[in-house]
Amino acid sequence: MSELNKSYPFKGVDVDPEQIEKLKNYYDDTLFALFTTRYGPKGYLFTKDFGSLGAEIYNMDLRPSDIFVVTFPKCGTTWTQELVWLVANDFNYEAAAASTLNTRFPFIESSVLMNNGSISTVFKDDKLIESMVKNVFKLDNVNNLPSPRFLKSHLPLSMLSPRLLDTCKVVYVARDPRDVAVSFYHHSDLMKMLKEGSDFKTYWNLFIKDLISWTPFFEHLKEAWELRNHPNMLFLFYEELSQDLAACARRIAKFLDKEVTEEQIEKLCDHLKIDNFKKNKSVNLKDLQQIGVFNSKGSFIREGKVGGWRKHFDEEMAQQAEQWMEENLRDTDLRFPNF
């Protein structure tokens, strides 16, 4: 690791103690680690011990056959992963159903999300621990996967390998931050990351102050937007996927050099309909739900709606969001689709 650290340009800087206290008052860190440390010139928020894994990821060996799906959290990541995997694997629905998406398409920084020793402390049964470990990949396991590898990350492009786009293909998905915040809040509540009674308005104010994991949101998107014309990058909006999934599936097929028929596209779109997707055991983390990692009352795949934020924002929050978005989009031609 000493050699890796020499070529890792990012140092961690803890957020100030007052902000850490706010996070401790809002988050439940029994199982999942708090994000309290900023990395890099953009100040992306990660866990305190992220640096070691971050160096491994930054220096990981890439292969020309690798396919990455990269997003800020809750931007349609799971949806896009399943779409990409099926197109790339000639619509092998049987193989997809036989193995969880986390196994087929591992989340490369997932191991840093857990509190050290929390799995063995919280889950006493060996079978439960085994199920949990299946969903939390160590990078060594990823390095040993056969080609082609399908890899998921929420890291901004600047914190992935600098050789990424010159080596392999990347599908990046962006989404309106208001819908992202709502989805991320519900996800955090479902995964027992929040203390009881943690309200959305508080979450939103943490989000726009870059005190939610993987923020700052707009810096994450802008990095990808600036590279959208690279031949190995396909930049999509969640809103485009929602509005015309078939067209996006064709774009992905073209990007992956795959020929597809209209019949295949039609079947794929039916497979990916939210109502069908919610019932798909290979993508909705039912094994984690069964061992108590997240609440039994909810579903990992939620509504998937565009504009659902309107049900959660009062007038003050809506105006605040509009101003925040305008300020952050002022220096870029990045705009979210309006459907």
Side-chain angles (χ1 to χ4, degrees):
M1 180 55 65
S2 59
E3 289 302 312
L4 288 176
N5 283 330
K6 286 179 183 177
S7 59
Y8 189 57
F10 309 113
K11 292 182 179 178
V13 178
D14 290 344
V15 302
D16 68 62
E18 190 175 314
Q19 289 177 322
I20 290 177
E21 276 307 305
K22 284 183 181 178
L23 294 173
K24 286 182 176 178
N25 289 335
Y26 191 76
Y27 280 94
D28 184 339
D29 62 350
T30 303
L31 183 58
F32 294 95
L34 284 177
F35 281 57
T36 59
T37 306
R38 299 196 183 281
Y39 287 84
K42 306 286 180 65
Y44 291 109
L45 194 65
F46 293 101
T47 59
K48 190 174 184 66
D49 58 354
F50 171 76
S52 177
L53 176 63
E56 288 187 63
I57 291 173
Y58 191 80
N59 291 278
M60 71 183 290
D61 290 329
L62 298 174
R63 308 169 193 168
S65 58
D66 290 342
I67 299 172
F68 278 73
V69 166
V70 180
T71 73
F72 188 88
K74 310 313 296 177
C75 288
T77 323
T78 304
W79 211 22
T80 308
Q81 286 175 267
E82 182 78 346
L83 196 167
V84 166
W85 193 93
L86 284 166
V87 169
N89 287 277
D90 302 318
F91 304 97
N92 191 339
Y93 293 97
E94 292 75 16
S99 181
T100 66
L101 186 60
N102 276 352
T103 302
R104 292 181 277 126
F105 218 127
F107 179 17
I108 61 174
E109 69 262 27
S110 59
S111 62
V112 81
L113 304 182
M114 314 303 298
N115 265 334
N116 290 333
S118 62
I119 293 178
S120 58
T121 303
V122 176
F123 304 109
K124 306 295 184 183
D125 188 289
D126 288 343
K127 288 184 179 178
L128 301 187
I129 295 172
E130 182 183 350
S131 180
M132 189 66 189
V133 168
K134 276 184 185 177
N135 291 279
V136 181
F137 270 81
K138 295 191 180 300
L139 200 61
D140 284 347
N141 297 339
V142 173
N143 290 335
N144 293 326
L145 288 173
S147 295
R149 296 183 303 183
F150 299 86
L151 305 173
K152 159 192 167 181
S153 180
H154 291 317
L155 294 178
L157 293 176
S158 61
M159 296 182 73
L160 291 164
S161 168
R163 303 174 301 281
L164 180 68
L165 283 177
D166 290 331
T167 306
C168 47
K169 291 185 181 292
V170 177
V171 177
Y172 186 96
V173 188
R175 187 182 189 185
D176 186 308
R178 295 165 293 191
D179 280 332
V180 171
V182 169
S183 183
F184 211 171
Y185 167 75
H186 284 291
H187 170 84
S188 300
D189 187 43
L190 181 71
M191 301 295 283
K192 302 180 181 178
M193 296 177 183
L194 306 181
K195 289 187 175 177
E196 191 172 343
S198 296
D199 63 295
F200 174 66
K201 193 164 189 174
T202 300
Y203 188 92
W204 168 250
N205 280 295
L206 291 173
F207 188 83
I208 62 175
K209 291 173 183 173
D210 302 332
L211 287 169
I212 298 296
S213 47
W214 286 282
T215 54
F217 172 84
F218 276 106
E219 294 301 330
H220 199 296
L221 266 62
K222 286 176 187 178
E223 284 191 21
W225 181 251
E226 288 170 6
L227 293 165
R228 67 191 183 281
N229 294 321
H230 192 289
N232 276 342
M233 162 77 91
L234 178 62
F235 190 106
L236 295 171
F237 286 100
Y238 182 87
E239 291 78 7
E240 293 175 317
L241 286 160
S242 180
Q243 177 72 12
D244 196 340
L245 184 58
C248 290
R250 291 186 202 101
R251 286 175 65 189
I252 287 173
K254 182 178 180 181
F255 179 64
L256 299 179
D257 299 316
K258 287 284 186 177
E259 292 187 7
V260 294
T261 66
E262 285 307 302
E263 185 180 355
Q264 288 172 325
I265 292 294
E266 186 177 337
K267 182 177 179 181
L268 177 64
C269 290
D270 185 67
H271 175 79
L272 293 170
K273 279 182 182 174
I274 290 298
D275 288 344
N276 294 334
F277 208 50
K278 289 173 84 166
K279 300 171 188 173
N280 185 338
K281 293 181 180 179
S282 74
V283 303
N284 60 23
L285 301 185
K286 279 296 181 185
D287 53 340
L288 291 186
Q289 191 168 31
Q290 289 167 357
I291 64 173
V293 172
F294 60 94
N295 293 317
S296 58
K297 63 182 180 181
S299 170
F300 180 72
I301 307 298
R302 207 172 63 89
E303 294 182 356
K305 289 183 178 177
V306 170
W309 62 269
R310 291 182 177 85
K311 294 190 300 184
H312 296 78
F313 280 61
D314 59 29
E315 187 175 341
E316 178 191 10
M317 293 166 70
Q319 291 177 354
Q320 184 185 37
E322 192 171 324
Q323 182 179 350
W324 175 67
M325 292 171 69
E326 184 180 332
E327 288 172 357
N328 280 280
L329 292 172
R330 192 170 291 150
D331 63 346
T332 177
D333 58 354
L334 168 64
R335 297 294 182 270
F336 298 96
N338 291 314
F339 292 118

